[in-house]
Amino acid sequence: MRIGAIEAGGTKFVCGVGNENGVIEDRVSFPTEQPERVMEQVMAYFTGKDVQAIGIGTFGPIDLNPESDSYGCVTTTPKPGWSGFPFLDTLKRAFPVPMGWDTDVNAAAYGEATWGAAKGQDSCVYFTVGTGIGIGVYAEGRLVHGLVHPEGGHMLPRRHPDDGYAGSCPYHGDCLEGLAAGPAIERRWGVKGSELPAEHPAWELEAYYLGQAVATAVLLLSPKRVIMGGGVMHQKQLLPMVRAEVSRSLNQYVSAAPLITGLDQYIVAPALGDNAGLCGALALGLAALERSV
Ligand code: ADP
Ligand code: ZN
């Protein structure tokens, strides 16, 4: 089986072809320029690849409501040229195969639930902490859309008393993304996160905010697993610090074994690593194919 996968990120696009076991057999990537230029490259890549379906996990916000006139479009992004762009229709005209369409983080959650760290679980929450913060939600065996789709990266955490940084979200200032995404770390400390040593106080603040967000996700959604990926999570010391903060924050209120004694297996890195997004898109494509038969 040959399934196409597109991981459409704010910085780069990744296209690939994989199989029903989640194995990516081929891939390319290019920068996220204007949509016409990007689509030319996407189409050139899939032409002749003979894929039976395509799954798309994309940056957003996007329209996921099949009843809506703008279904399949990117909606309000400040990215030049992308606001209102009919992503799904453009592809469907070129490749008349079943297509899966969801946010990049929902795709990653789905990939992890299908082949990765939440395999066998009927729920998980996937955090990406990178240029932005996104939260994908898989619950009771399906991806959660709701009114639009979850936008958990913009929740409002309690401020750390030692944090004087105003926050960088253009909409909310000090929302989670405004305080804890990669660019916020860089602006707060004046250097890129990747250059800050493991013992730097930046990571205590980071864990404080991410820990609150994970605790909130646990309280609100009761996921059976929490997966944390994205560039900032490459800081290996961070995941144990986030677990400690979640534990402190929940204070044993939620009575479930994974939260009391098993946080190491409950809040985890993506098993699919940096492939989570592309594998997730592959899983969306596979699901679209299964729905079509
Ligand atoms: P994107 O979110 O654009 O898809 P990434 O998930 O790679 O891409 O996130 C990029 C962000 O992560 C940047 O802000 C970058 O500074 C930050 N980042 C990347 N690697 C590290 C690292 N090792 N430590 C801390 N921050 C990092
Ligand atoms: Zn915000």
Side-chain angles (χ1 to χ4, degrees):
M1 207 176 269
R2 290 169 70 75
I3 309 290
I6 302 174
E7 180 188 10
T11 318
K12 70 175 195 302
F13 256 66
V14 187
C15 295
V17 175
N19 67 20
E20 67 277 19
N21 301 317
V23 178
I24 306 281
E25 290 154 351
D26 183 64
R27 70 163 74 207
V28 291
S29 86
F30 35 84
T32 307
E33 299 165 312
Q34 294 273 347
E36 293 73 21
R37 173 85 195 100
V38 167
M39 283 301 164
E40 263 171 38
Q41 295 175 83
V42 171
M43 296 202 199
Y45 176 73
F46 285 114
T47 299
K49 292 271 189 312
D50 196 26
V51 292
Q52 290 161 268
I54 299 179
I56 305 149
T58 177
F59 69 88
I62 62 174
D63 192 332
L64 288 170
N65 175 8
E67 309 299 318
S68 152
D69 289 344
S70 53
Y71 175 66
C73 295
V74 177
T75 58
T76 52
T77 179
K79 268 196 134 341
W82 284 92
S83 185
F85 180 71
F87 193 152
L88 189 60
D89 270 5
T90 305
L91 269 183
K92 276 193 163 160
R93 275 198 299 275
F95 305 102
V97 294
M99 291 200 183
W101 162 253
D102 218 307
T103 65
D104 45 5
V105 273
N106 265 0
Y110 195 47
E112 289 290 332
T114 309
W115 295 301
K119 192 173 167 188
Q121 308 290 343
D122 65 359
S123 65
C124 71
V125 168
Y126 184 96
F127 281 71
T128 184
V129 189
T131 307
I133 296 184
I135 303 183
V137 182
Y138 180 71
E140 298 185 348
R142 51 183 291 187
L143 290 169
V144 171
H145 293 162
L147 183 64
V148 181
H149 47 71
E151 284 281 12
H154 296 267
M155 69 172 79
L156 302 175
R158 184 185 290 165
R159 297 290 303 243
H160 191 289
D162 299 338
D163 187 10
Y165 179 61
S168 59
C169 176
Y171 292 91
H172 319 110
D174 60 354
C175 67
L176 180 66
E177 178 172 299
L179 291 171
I185 299 172
E186 186 172 346
R187 284 182 208 149
R188 182 187 286 111
W189 301 103
V191 288
K192 281 191 180 303
S194 53
E195 287 160 30
L196 292 169
E199 61 285 359
H200 193 280
W203 305 119
E204 194 189 313
L205 281 190
E206 187 68 12
Y208 181 78
Y209 293 128
L210 294 178
Q212 286 185 62
V214 172
T216 301
V218 169
L219 294 168
L220 209 55
L221 300 162
S222 210
K224 290 181 183 162
R225 198 137 299 165
V226 175
I227 302 153
M228 304 197 75
V232 173
M233 295 310 298
H234 287 157
Q235 293 285 330
K236 291 295 170 230
Q237 75 286 2
L238 195 51
L239 197 56
M241 293 169 79
V242 170
R243 290 187 190 116
E245 195 57 40
V246 171
S247 184
R248 195 189 64 76
S249 178
L250 292 176
N251 199 21
Q252 309 211 347
Y253 173 69
V254 182
S255 169
L259 294 169
I260 310 291
T261 54
L263 274 187
D264 293 1
Q265 285 85 47
Y266 180 72
I267 303 171
V268 297
L272 303 170
D274 289 336
N275 268 340
L278 197 61
C279 284
L282 183 62
L284 290 176
L286 196 59
L289 182 64
E290 282 164 1
R291 275 197 306 273
S292 74
V293 292

